[in-house]
Amino acid sequence: MELYADWHTHSSHSDGHAPPEEMVAAAAARGLAEVAITDHGPRAMFIGVRDTGVYLELKEQAARWSKKYGVRVLVGAEANVTGLDGGLDLPPEVAAELDILIAGLHPQVWCVPWWQTLTWIAPNQAGRALEPVRQAMRRANTAALVRAVYKHRPTFVSHPGLVMAVDLDEVAKACAATGCAMEINTGHSYRKDGVVRAALRRGALIVVNSDAHFPATVGDLAAGAALLEKHRVPPEQVLNARRPLH
Ligand SMILES: [Zn+2]
Ligand SMILES: [Zn+2]
């Protein structure tokens, strides 16, 4: 399966290790047709963008970089789900300006309301070994992500099931109902087969991204493409796959 775009990369505006222009140059060198710079939302602990104006500044640069490097440059955000109500750390007026909106569960986030950092995020970190806590957190994580999908209509959800457990079937149902894709993230190890199976069962779209934090890994999508081929996912169901010519 041929993938033409990598829509999940980080620059030095969050926890990436290179300025955005270097990530763009790497995408061009890799032969991608499209790349998105998608830095972490501002409520990510210690690594988020300094404020959401950063995304708008990137938008102003994107067209110039597209021309200079010959790769279409999109600007997005990997927004954090910041509470059980499915809120994101991105105001709607900024989200409306972006090409890609990613919603992701992350275990290092300052919640709104603040006390959910203690009652929701902390037990996800500390209670993983205790089965009843793990089950309760899985239910809470699923509810939060599903609400975020319905409320904000993201382009895709990042790495569902990575660190913060979710019911993949429930996430896939919400994604199928709203046209949101489920990500296969080649930059992290987690149980990706389950994500593909849930998407196939429920008819949700899939997207494969690198989550690159270095120029060297931009466009590293081969493992994801191989996984989709193993499960015989049709390219029509993959947001960043080239459609076969009939
Ligand atoms: Zn992430
Ligand atoms: Zn990421």
Side-chain angles (χ1 to χ4, degrees):
M1 185 174 310
E2 199 193 338
L3 302 168
Y4 68 90
D6 186 351
W7 289 325
H8 185 169
T9 73
H10 296 278
S11 79
S12 45
H13 285 295
S14 60
D15 61 344
H17 294 257
E21 189 170 353
E22 284 183 29
M23 301 301 276
V24 170
R30 200 73 195 244
L32 290 173
E34 275 184 32
V35 65
I37 307 292
T38 55
D39 281 307
H40 290 286
R43 297 191 77 85
M45 289 178 181
F46 317 117
I47 61 164
V49 292
R50 63 169 197 280
D51 62 69
T52 54
V54 165
Y55 300 118
L56 304 177
E57 288 165 26
L58 283 167
K59 274 293 282 188
E60 286 173 18
Q61 306 286 331
R64 194 169 59 81
W65 291 333
S66 293
K67 216 178 206 167
K68 183 169 172 189
Y69 294 98
V71 55
R72 187 161 176 244
V73 180
L74 307 181
V75 177
E78 186 178 15
N80 295 286
V81 180
T82 52
L84 296 171
D85 65 349
L88 296 181
D89 55 351
L90 197 66
E93 63 274 16
V94 176
E97 296 297 318
L98 300 182
D99 306 304
I100 302 269
L101 175 61
I102 313 174
L105 290 171
H106 295 96
Q108 287 96 18
V109 63
W110 301 114
C111 287
V112 181
W114 67 269
W115 47 264
Q116 286 182 5
T117 314
L118 303 178
T119 58
W120 173 40
I121 295 299
N124 261 286
Q125 293 276 24
R128 261 180 275 163
L130 292 166
E131 191 54 23
V133 178
R134 216 188 69 83
Q135 288 299 334
M137 287 305 113
R138 187 169 180 266
R139 283 193 295 276
N141 300 343
T142 304
L145 187 57
V146 164
R147 284 180 191 135
V149 166
Y150 279 108
K151 254 188 180 171
H152 304 282
R153 305 290 170 127
T155 319
F156 60 89
V157 291
S158 49
H159 45 64
L162 172 65
V163 186
M164 291 177 73
V166 291
D167 181 329
L168 290 169
D169 250 334
E170 289 301 316
V171 175
K173 268 200 270 180
C175 287
T178 56
C180 175
M182 298 174 84
E183 183 184 56
I184 297 299
N185 183 307
T186 60
H188 291 282
S189 302
Y190 58 103
R191 294 163 71 182
K192 296 168 203 173
D193 287 275
V195 177
V196 178
R197 285 195 196 100
L200 285 173
R201 261 196 308 274
R202 301 294 178 180
L205 291 165
I206 294 175
V207 63
V208 180
N209 295 304
S210 71
D211 202 356
H213 287 66
F214 296 90
T217 51
V218 175
D220 252 352
L221 306 173
L227 181 72
L228 300 190
E229 276 154 25
K230 179 179 117 183
H231 288 276
R232 299 177 193 283
V233 178
E236 294 76 15
Q237 199 171 344
V238 182
L239 218 50
N240 57 339
R242 281 204 200 286
R243 307 288 179 267
L245 296 169
H246 293 293

